[in-house]
Amino acid sequence: MLINRFGALFERLVRRIETAESLDATADPVAERAGRLYGGPRVRSLLAGTPLSHPLHPLLVTVPIGSWAAAMVLDLVGNRSGARTAIGVGLLTAPLAAATGTHDWTSTVGGQRRVGWVHALLNASAIGLYAASWVARRRGHHRTGQLLTIPGFALLGASGSLGGHLSYARGVGVDVTAFDPEVPGWVDVAASTEVEHGRLTGASAAGVELVLTRDADDTLHALADRCTHRGGPLHEGTLEDGCVRCPWHDSRFSLADGSVVTGPATRPQPVFETREEDGRVLVRHLATG
């Protein structure tokens, strides 16, 4: 079937992009510079969407995409001023969508970064065409403006397909703990003497990796070890003011309830109930509802 052939062709194309190491020569320096630009924890948290508990980029991209799709419809019905206004709205909101996407992209590596780089280049080209279309319409060259939106929207569709691949096939922006199995009841994970105040200890319960530690008052804490943002090993991180800091991208999670204190993580860290019996530490999933 035609749909199957298109899907197979798209997968081959994406695979070639993912393995194209030649893209690293431009992608890596840009990502490093952007990472320094977004280096502050408050900026990173805002651009990531931490206050929303949801990645911000997927929400923002709907505005320019919707505006430019509306412009095509308005062109078809002959509403020139409406089409130009819609294109202008898309141009005004595209930079913020691009900023949030760039922020998310800086924490990717390898094939993910290469696909994201091509995604960004296609978006930049589409924005350029829509900007040229708006200028042409402003000067009264409506036919030229309409023609410029055709390749612009095509590039937008191609870019969107790559963005979808990053989210749904490669899991960029997805809570990496979402598919961890449930811990069935209380499970013995460590000796009590192995879990100390001021130290992070790795453990495992029914296939779920954990990080254990104690407060100064000897209270036990157990969180999922893989950071919800990109899967960084929290047991290799640091303890700071009642929080554990991820060693990969510096997200901080509260030991008490797993909530995100600073991003770029947007989803809280799963927390486990703990108890001690006969010199052993036992954990189970925290009951909810």
Side-chain angles (χ1 to χ4, degrees):
M1 294 177 61
L2 181 60
I3 295 178
N4 292 339
R5 290 179 181 176
F6 175 79
L9 178 63
F10 176 75
E11 287 298 323
R12 286 198 297 270
L13 175 62
V14 172
R15 198 170 298 114
R16 292 189 66 176
I17 295 173
E18 289 178 331
T19 57
E21 296 182 2
S22 59
L23 293 171
D24 297 344
T26 51
D28 288 346
V30 173
E32 290 171 6
R33 292 190 185 96
R36 290 195 293 270
L37 180 65
Y38 302 144
R42 291 184 179 180
V43 174
R44 296 180 68 185
S45 294
L46 288 173
L47 290 176
T50 301
L52 300 176
S53 295
H54 184 287
L56 184 57
H57 180 63
L59 298 178
L60 291 181
V61 296
T62 61
V63 181
I65 291 174
S67 298
W68 293 336
M72 292 190 70
V73 175
L74 292 169
D75 274 336
L76 289 174
V77 300
N79 188 338
R80 291 179 173 178
S81 62
R84 190 180 72 197
T85 299
I87 290 174
V89 170
L91 290 172
L92 288 173
T93 55
L96 185 54
T100 57
T102 302
H103 168 270
D104 294 348
W105 173 69
T106 60
S107 62
T108 61
V109 295
Q112 293 178 356
R113 176 169 290 184
R114 293 163 194 152
V115 173
W117 180 230
V118 175
H119 170 73
L121 293 176
L122 291 175
N123 277 338
S125 300
I127 292 171
L129 287 169
Y130 275 102
S133 173
W134 188 89
V135 171
R137 293 164 192 261
R138 179 75 175 176
R139 293 176 177 175
H141 306 306
H142 301 289
R143 183 61 176 168
T144 300
Q146 291 174 348
L147 291 174
L148 285 169
T149 61
I150 296 174
F153 202 74
L155 289 174
L156 201 64
S159 171
S161 296
L162 293 178
H165 174 81
L166 286 172
S167 295
Y168 300 115
R170 298 302 300 269
V172 176
V174 175
D175 180 347
V176 301
T177 68
F179 301 105
D180 282 351
E182 288 284 325
V183 176
W186 290 102
V187 177
D188 185 327
V189 295
S192 295
T193 54
E194 293 176 346
V195 186
E196 303 173 359
H197 165 58
R199 186 168 70 90
L200 295 168
T201 301
S204 179
V208 178
E209 297 302 313
L210 305 174
V211 58
L212 310 173
T213 192
R214 294 182 189 270
D215 277 344
D217 62 3
D218 209 38
T219 300
L220 271 170
H221 295 285
L223 281 68
D225 188 46
R226 293 198 303 155
C227 174
T228 56
H229 175 239
R230 291 289 188 269
L234 295 186
H235 74 276
E236 297 180 6
T238 55
L239 288 166
E240 301 176 5
D241 301 322
C243 300
V244 56
R245 181 188 290 273
C246 177
W248 284 7
H249 304 113
D250 295 327
S251 294
R252 291 199 305 152
F253 303 93
S254 167
L255 291 173
D257 59 9
S259 60
V260 183
V261 177
T262 56
T266 60
R267 298 294 303 156
Q269 203 68 18
V271 175
F272 296 78
E273 288 186 273
T274 62
R275 76 183 189 193
E276 294 183 82
E277 289 184 357
D278 301 323
R280 303 294 300 180
V281 174
L282 286 76
V283 306
R284 71 176 180 181
H285 263 102
L286 183 66
T288 59

